[in-house]
Amino acid sequence: MIQNEKKYEYWLASIQNLSDNKKHKLREHMNSAKRAYYIEETELNTLNFLSEKEKNVIKQAQKELNPDYVQEELEKKGVSVVLRFEEKYPRQLQSIPDRPYAIFYKGSLPTTEKYSVGIVGARQCTPYGEKYAFEFAQQLAQHRVQIISGLAKGIDGISQRGALMGGGQTFAVLGNGVDICYPRENIGLYHDIIEQGGGILSEFPLGAPPLGFQFPKRNRIISGLSNVLLVIEAREKSGSLITADMALEQGRDVYALPGPINSALSSGCNRLIWQGAGILLSPEQLLEELGIINVAESVEFKEKEQEKKKVLETKENLVYSSVGLYPKSANQIMEETGLQVSIVFQILSALQIQGLIREISKNYYIKV
């Protein structure tokens, strides 16, 4: 594709209120996005595959959406675009119905050379859900598994933090433009994902706000990019179950974390298991079931985890003892414990997930 014609491709990709399939059909009919941009109204009106409303959307985009401006904004904000007919377009998405016409992204895209696991769950999750979202993501990431999620508050954000703590890569699929971090409280995670080689992805153009109806739509991308989907906590009617349904329609396997029968946040997961979803018993069981490790490695994995747990418990106690009822900085905790920066922050995250400490301002902690 000629470089100076890319701006027209970005223009077409950035049109809202025009479906992915209609964008693709328009480009195919006109042989290029540039010709689509310069199409005369008389010719546009002859295109029977477009409704009157869609024709008006294109006319408005011709007047109000400048291709030069679109390209400049993408470059200024460090955002890349891959189109559904390009070689770099994620292969996992090629087979899903209504695949996005374009993916806007910061950082990198998931690769098919590594296994990908999607993790979704409740925003208002329990400490039980937080603990296992973090553990599964962390230990999967330690085995080079890519974690796909939605950067949302709760299970999504916690699993993505776990993936980073496991030294792996994670990819966040947003229900808004990639230049907007939503929720804002995950801005640190947003940047950390990119810095550690992962990416922030969206089918929505720059500046697109986080509107409610866009989130179920983005869920098909989370499941589509994943080889399997894990549901950690979900109510009977929730976005996580919508994602699970989409995963099944796309031919992906679904696993769910079992929970107490009297817990509303486990009711959706328990029902999924009753309907035939895989049951999550431990990270090593999942790794073995997915063929990522074999039985011998599973035994070794368990032994290493037990040893690590003993060491971590000792270090956890050291960090926990250092945190008091008055705010203390992470630097003070490092000085008092003599532990490395990465270990201290890993333990501080774990203690927060367990509800034992709280971060009251940036890098300042107190006991709960």
Side-chain angles (χ1 to χ4, degrees):
M1 193 184 301
I2 301 169
Q3 190 59 35
N4 63 3
E5 290 196 3
K6 277 274 192 179
K7 62 185 180 183
Y8 300 106
E9 300 291 348
Y10 302 152
W11 166 80
L12 182 56
S14 299
I15 299 175
Q16 297 195 67
N17 302 317
L18 187 64
S19 75
D20 299 300
N21 288 335
K22 290 297 177 73
K23 287 178 185 178
H24 189 68
K25 203 164 184 178
L26 175 64
R27 189 191 183 281
E28 279 194 326
H29 181 84
M30 300 302 296
N31 293 320
S32 76
K34 183 177 181 179
R35 287 197 64 210
Y37 176 72
Y38 285 111
I39 188 172
E40 296 287 342
E41 186 173 345
T42 50
E43 185 181 357
L44 181 62
N45 288 334
T46 67
L47 303 183
N48 295 327
F49 60 85
L50 294 173
S51 68
E52 286 305 310
K53 185 178 178 182
E54 289 166 338
K55 289 171 186 174
N56 288 331
V57 166
I58 293 165
K59 291 173 192 174
Q60 189 175 357
Q62 287 174 314
K63 293 174 186 174
E64 299 178 4
L65 195 58
N66 185 299
D68 289 313
Y69 174 78
V70 172
Q71 186 172 40
E72 284 168 14
E73 283 298 291
L74 288 166
E75 290 172 358
K76 186 166 72 176
K77 294 181 177 180
V79 176
S80 302
V81 186
V82 62
L83 306 163
R84 68 155 71 165
F85 52 83
E86 292 183 310
E87 193 177 332
K88 197 176 179 182
Y89 189 86
R91 202 184 313 159
Q92 308 96 308
L93 295 181
Q94 289 288 8
S95 60
I96 71 168
D98 193 24
R99 64 191 186 278
Y101 178 76
I103 296 289
F104 297 80
Y105 66 98
K106 295 186 76 171
S108 63
L109 293 168
T111 174
T112 51
E113 293 170 8
K114 293 181 183 178
Y115 209 87
S116 294
V117 170
I119 301 181
V120 296
R123 285 175 170 80
Q124 301 298 328
C125 53
T126 67
Y128 168 76
E130 290 179 349
K131 172 182 167 62
Y132 286 105
F134 188 90
E135 281 188 15
F136 272 92
Q138 183 183 38
Q139 294 181 31
L140 286 167
Q142 285 169 358
H143 286 82
R144 299 182 72 249
V145 174
Q146 300 170 128
I147 301 300
I148 315 292
S149 198
L151 199 76
K153 182 183 175 185
I155 296 299
D156 287 28
I158 289 162
S159 65
Q160 298 200 276
R161 179 59 69 187
L164 296 179
M165 290 296 189
Q169 292 172 331
T170 181
F171 300 85
V173 185
L174 307 187
N176 47 266
V178 295
D179 54 332
I180 299 170
C181 177
Y182 179 81
R184 191 64 188 170
E185 65 199 64
N186 278 343
I187 187 68
L189 177 60
Y190 174 101
H191 290 298
D192 290 345
I193 286 171
I194 297 169
E195 284 177 17
Q196 199 156 307
I200 309 295
L201 289 65
S202 178
E203 65 183 309
F204 301 107
L206 295 185
L211 304 176
F213 72 92
Q214 294 173 171
F215 289 89
K217 195 167 185 273
R218 68 91 191 258
N219 290 350
R220 82 191 192 288
I221 302 177
I222 293 176
S223 56
L225 288 170
S226 307
N227 296 103
V228 301
L229 182 76
L230 311 187
V231 183
I232 298 299
E233 279 190 319
R235 296 180 185 274
E236 284 277 5
K237 294 180 180 178
S238 67
S240 299
L241 295 192
I242 293 171
T243 312
D245 287 340
M246 289 175 171
L248 292 169
E249 287 172 11
Q250 294 164 352
R252 275 52 167 174
D253 288 329
V254 174
Y255 287 78
L257 182 74
I261 59 172
N262 63 346
S263 168
L265 282 168
S266 289
S267 59
C269 289
N270 291 340
R271 183 165 293 279
L272 281 173
I273 294 166
W274 179 72
Q275 290 171 339
I279 183 168
L280 293 173
L281 298 176
S282 67
E284 62 267 21
Q285 167 259 344
L286 178 64
L287 286 161
E288 190 181 329
E289 199 162 315
L290 297 179
I292 294 168
I293 62 175
N294 57 37
V295 178
E297 288 174 316
S298 181
V299 172
E300 187 184 347
F301 180 80
K302 286 177 187 174
E303 289 172 353
K304 284 182 179 176
E305 285 304 308
Q306 287 299 323
E307 289 173 19
K308 198 191 299 179
K309 193 175 178 184
K310 287 176 186 173
V311 174
L312 184 60
E313 281 173 354
T314 307
K315 290 179 178 177
E316 265 190 356
N317 286 332
L318 196 60
V319 172
Y320 182 66
S321 300
S322 176
V323 180
L325 297 175
Y326 294 96
K328 189 175 285 188
S329 71
N331 284 335
Q332 286 175 282
I333 296 166
M334 277 181 263
E335 286 174 14
E336 290 178 11
T337 60
L339 297 173
Q340 293 177 352
V341 179
S342 59
I343 293 172
V344 167
F345 276 105
Q346 183 177 345
I347 294 171
L348 288 170
S349 294
L351 291 172
Q352 285 182 86
I353 288 169
Q354 294 170 53
L356 297 173
I357 67 169
R358 186 159 59 91
E359 185 177 18
I360 58 161
S361 61
K362 184 68 174 172
N363 292 335
Y364 276 83
Y365 303 86
I366 60 167
K367 278 182 179 170
V368 174

